[in-house]
Structure formats: structure tokens, C-alpha cells
Amino acid sequence: MKMKKFILAICSVCLVGLGSCEKGLELGPYNSATIAQAFESDSDFANAVRGMYGSALGGTYYGGSMISLPDILSDNVIVARTGRLSNLSFHEWRYTADGTWGLFATAYSGIRRANAILENIERLPAGASKENYKAEALAFRAMAHFDLVRLYGKAYTQASDTDLGVPYVTSTDATLKPSRESVKTNFSKIETDLKAAEAAIGSSNGIYRFNKAAVAALLSRVYLYEGKWQESADAATRSLALSSNPGGLADYARIWTDAVNTGVLLKLQIVDKDRITPGVEYSQSSASGVRNEYVVDHLFLQSFKANDVRTAASFRLTTFNGQPYNSIAKWFGRATGNANVTDSKVIRVAEVWLNLAESLANLGKNAEALTALNNLRKNRYTDFDAGNFAESGNALKTAIDLERRIEFAFEGHRLFDLKRKGAGISRSSRGDKADGTGTPARFLTLAATDYRLQLPLPSNELRVNSNIQQNPNY
């Protein structure tokens, strides 16, 4: 599949399970719809928006890889040798330009759908509905470009003015061959889209669509990656004013079985019939027990405390062929239904509290940062006593970093947190079995300056787009 056919071509909004476009199809080819037919009414735009979100559920995006690969690439997990050895080239930093196509293509497919909405939005009459659809498309476009530049570009805080990010695509023109822009330019455009989205989006969209709290939360994350501490704190504060409950002690584990949505700002809905199983990239059920692809690194495991409700929810002692392993439990799935099927949680309130805490700590506002951090910790530790936690300065920053790592383990954050802090990857030499014995990872360290912290752009892309430049050393 060529870039000009997936990034910029008009996409059909008549997706199976996402809506229908029967109206007027007899006027055109039997297997396609014109733009005029696809974008005529409010319901047409509603279908297009659903299709846009649905594109993010591909197995190489939030239906799988975007959740797992940032942890597989870093230090939270190690490969289980009894598994299928899936994604081993990523875990061992041996990926090539022939192996990163899916990540690139799926995100740009969603961007194309967002752009189709934006290019046709003036077909709707003025009003809240029009502004809301426009804002959702802007937010989605920003999120997808943000994900791409995080994977294929250097961290904003480590990039020069000329270090390349990704093409920021704002058109469905199939003749374009966009070139890469700088990381800094990417982030500027991401900010612009998100600020416009936050200003116009509705507050009552629910958690299965971008809403005002979710957009402000994502903007807070973007500012955090840029080291714009005051802007990040301000965006976090706006988000928390709309939704501040990160999920209490009794809620946390139930978030991961979709029994409650407390603390979730944006999630992508998955039902059994979709046959989308984000958790299979970590493990699968079998007659011999849980067959793990990746298990919790034994040294990282020691960071989880017995009185932390995330401990039981994040991993579980399981067996496979009689051998014990520390399986990643967040993605085991719901209490009923197909194994490993659960909604993809894209943005949660807990992150907003941590964004606020980190930003305030970097502004030297230790007391306020500690309060923000403790607003999360009191909802995670069963016997939490704020009197026992009075960190400040570097100790407070270290505590915030630890809580972020524990809170978002196995959710696709770890690699990017290491990159934005200018840190390399340092894995333990513990083995894959539950007690730390067994086979350790073959490759343990990756320097902060190593070119492999940026994935190679797909070779398919380079073949069809002469304006695309590969990352160094690939």
C-alpha cells in the first residue's frame, strides 16, 4: 500500500459496524460513494467521526502496539521465552525499516479520516454540532501526529531546531508527497490543533469521544513533553476542573475489567465481536496456563507495594507448563467474554494529576506539587497518611517519576517518559520466571543518544515518496 493511497486519499465512512451510507449510492459506482454523498447530513458526519475513532483500534495502534511497544522497547518488561517471541526485534532493538510500516500507516489512516471531516465541515450549518465534530477531528489529528512524532522523532527536549519529526498532513489531496517537518514544528502544529479543539469541543461528549477534559489533558501532556511547565499545569488544572476523580481504592482494579469508567477521560470501545484483543501482545490463555509474551521485570516488580491497589491489578502470579511467571494482568480482559478483550484506555485522570505534580515541581512549587501527587497516592495506597510523605526538591521529582511509572506500567508510556527526560534504557539482568531466575533479556542497555530510540521510517514509504528522509543510521 502506497503512502499517497493511505495518507491522503479520501476514505469511505461506510465502515462495517460503524454506520451505513445507503442514501444516494445508486447514483454512483456500486462500490463507492462521492464526497457529496458521504458528507450531507449531521448523521453522515457522526458516522465519519465514528470511523475516525475506529481507525485507532487497528492492531498496530491503540488496538495493540501503541499500548504494548513502548513498554516492550524499554525496561518495564522482559520477553518470556515460553511465548511466541512476538515483537522480539523491538524488544532487542533490532528493528529495520521493513518492520515499522503498520505503526506508520494506521496512524496516518486516522489522520486522513480526520482531514476528510475537516475539509467538508462547512457543509453543516453553523451551530454546536458542527463545532463539536470539527473539534473532535482536530483533537484526533493532533493525537495521531503526536504519537507519530514520539515514535519516529527525537524527544522535543532533546531535539535541535532541525531534527526531523514527521509530515504534518492536513489535506486529503492524493497527489501530495509531504516531506518531514522538524520535531519543533510538529509540536507547534499539535498545540495549535489542540487549542482550537479545546475552545470548541463539547463537555458532554462522554468518554468514548474526545471531550473538553480529555483535550485539555492531552494538551497538558504535550506541554509536559515540551518542558513548558506553566502551560502544562494550566491545562491540567482546566481538565481537573471538569473531572478530577482518578478512581478510588475500590475502583482501580475494576477500571481494567471495564466494570467502571471512573477516572477515564478517553477510551476506545471494544466488544467481543470486534475481535480486537489488545492484551494478546502481553499474553494469551491456553490449556497449559497463561502463555506470556512478556512478563514484568523482576526488579521493577519490587517497586509495587503490598498496600498499593495497583499491585494486584497490574500483574498476577500465573503458571505455564507448571512454571510460575509474573503475568501482566491489566489486559487480561473483562470478567466475562473473550480473553484479552477490554476497552483501550487512552487518557486517564491519574495522568493529569501527575502532569500537574511534575509541572509544579519543576516550577519550584513544592507544596502544591506534593498536594497534587498526594491526590493520586491517597487513591492508590490503602493506609496512605500524608504525614508520612513530605518530599521536596529532587526527592519529590523522584517520587513523581516513580508514581508515573507504576501508574502507567504496560499502558504505552514508559519509552516516551525516558526519552523526554533524556534518559537511556537500563534493564535489569533478572530472568523471566516469577522469582527472577530463568532467561534474562539479551540486550540490557541503550544509551540516551542511541539512534534506535527513534524508529526507522518504513521502507515502503521511502520507496513511494521521494520527499521522505530516513532517520540517521538506518
Side-chain angles (χ1 to χ4, degrees), residues 32-322:
S32 65
T34 66
I35 288 297
Q37 292 168 325
F39 291 100
E40 289 184 337
S41 67
D42 189 281
S43 62
D44 291 337
F45 279 88
N47 284 336
V49 168
R50 284 193 289 271
M52 176 184 71
Y53 289 118
S55 69
L57 283 174
T60 54
Y61 204 16
Y62 283 103
S65 296
M66 198 65 194
I67 292 169
S68 61
L69 282 186
D71 282 70
I72 289 170
L73 283 160
S74 49
D75 57 356
N76 282 347
V77 304
I78 60 170
V79 64
R81 294 293 164 174
T82 54
R84 301 170 303 170
L85 304 182
S86 62
N87 290 316
L88 188 62
S89 63
F90 287 94
H91 187 58
E92 296 184 342
W93 311 313
R94 295 185 292 104
Y95 28 79
T96 67
D98 291 327
T100 59
W101 175 246
L103 293 165
F104 197 83
T106 308
Y108 275 115
S109 177
I111 290 168
R112 178 194 63 204
R113 297 184 189 197
N115 285 333
I117 294 166
L118 293 168
E119 287 179 350
N120 290 280
I121 197 67
E122 293 306 321
R123 294 174 179 270
L124 284 179
S129 182
K130 173 184 177 180
E131 294 304 308
N132 196 39
Y133 291 141
K134 180 179 179 180
E136 287 183 84
L138 287 169
F140 188 98
R141 184 171 76 181
M143 178 186 73
H145 281 108
F146 178 56
D147 291 338
L148 286 162
V149 72
R150 290 194 292 169
L151 285 164
Y152 294 98
K154 288 185 178 181
Y156 182 94
T157 51
Q158 312 303 315
S160 69
D161 288 343
T162 57
D163 279 324
L164 294 178
V166 296
Y168 205 95
V169 179
T170 59
S171 171
T172 60
D173 183 348
T175 66
L176 296 180
K177 292 184 178 181
S179 60
R180 299 177 68 183
E181 303 173 17
S182 72
V183 169
K184 300 292 177 70
T185 300
N186 282 166
F187 271 81
S188 177
K189 291 182 177 181
I190 291 164
E191 281 186 34
T192 297
D193 275 353
L194 286 177
K195 286 188 283 189
E198 186 187 1
I201 203 161
S203 297
S204 57
N205 285 352
I207 61 170
Y208 295 106
R209 302 164 63 181
F210 267 109
N211 53 74
K212 195 173 287 288
V215 174
L218 183 56
L219 187 54
S220 173
R221 186 195 297 181
V222 170
Y223 284 136
L224 191 82
Y225 276 54
E226 295 174 296
K228 295 181 178 179
W229 308 121
Q230 189 61 60
E231 291 92 334
S232 179
D234 290 344
T237 299
R238 295 195 301 273
S239 180
L240 292 167
L242 297 168
S243 182
S244 62
N245 183 358
L249 297 172
D251 291 329
Y252 185 79
R254 302 176 70 207
I255 292 172
W256 298 103
T257 61
D258 295 329
V260 299
N261 290 322
T262 313
V264 179
L265 293 176
L266 176 65
K267 66 191 306 194
L268 300 176
Q269 190 171 28
I270 301 174
V271 298
D272 279 353
K273 67 180 181 180
D274 291 333
R275 297 190 176 277
I276 298 169
T277 52
V280 298
E281 300 208 2
Y282 284 132
S283 67
Q284 308 94 41
S285 298
S286 77
S288 301
V290 176
R291 186 182 187 188
N292 294 288
E293 300 295 321
Y294 292 87
V295 294
V296 188
D297 176 78
H298 191 259
L299 185 61
F300 176 44
L301 190 77
Q302 313 312 310
S303 302
F304 290 81
K305 306 302 181 185
N307 66 326
D308 187 341
V309 296
R310 295 170 295 194
T311 300
S314 298
F315 63 87
R316 195 167 303 162
L317 184 64
T318 63
T319 60
F320 183 73
N321 286 337

Side-chain angles (χ1 to χ4, degrees), residues 24-29 34 37:
L25 288 181
E26 69 275 6
L27 301 178
T34 66
Q37 292 168 325

Side-chain angles (χ1 to χ4, degrees), residues 214 357 381 388 397 449:
Y381 297 98
N388 296 325
K397 292 178 181 178
T449 56

Side-chain angles (χ1 to χ4, degrees), residues 433-464:
K433 293 183 180 178
D435 61 357
T437 63
T439 306
R442 290 177 59 204
F443 300 91
L444 301 181
T445 60
L446 197 67
T449 56
D450 197 290
Y451 71 93
R452 289 170 292 180
L453 284 172
Q454 288 68 246
L455 296 186
L457 272 73
S459 54
N460 281 358
E461 190 60 49
L462 274 67
R463 280 193 285 268
V464 301

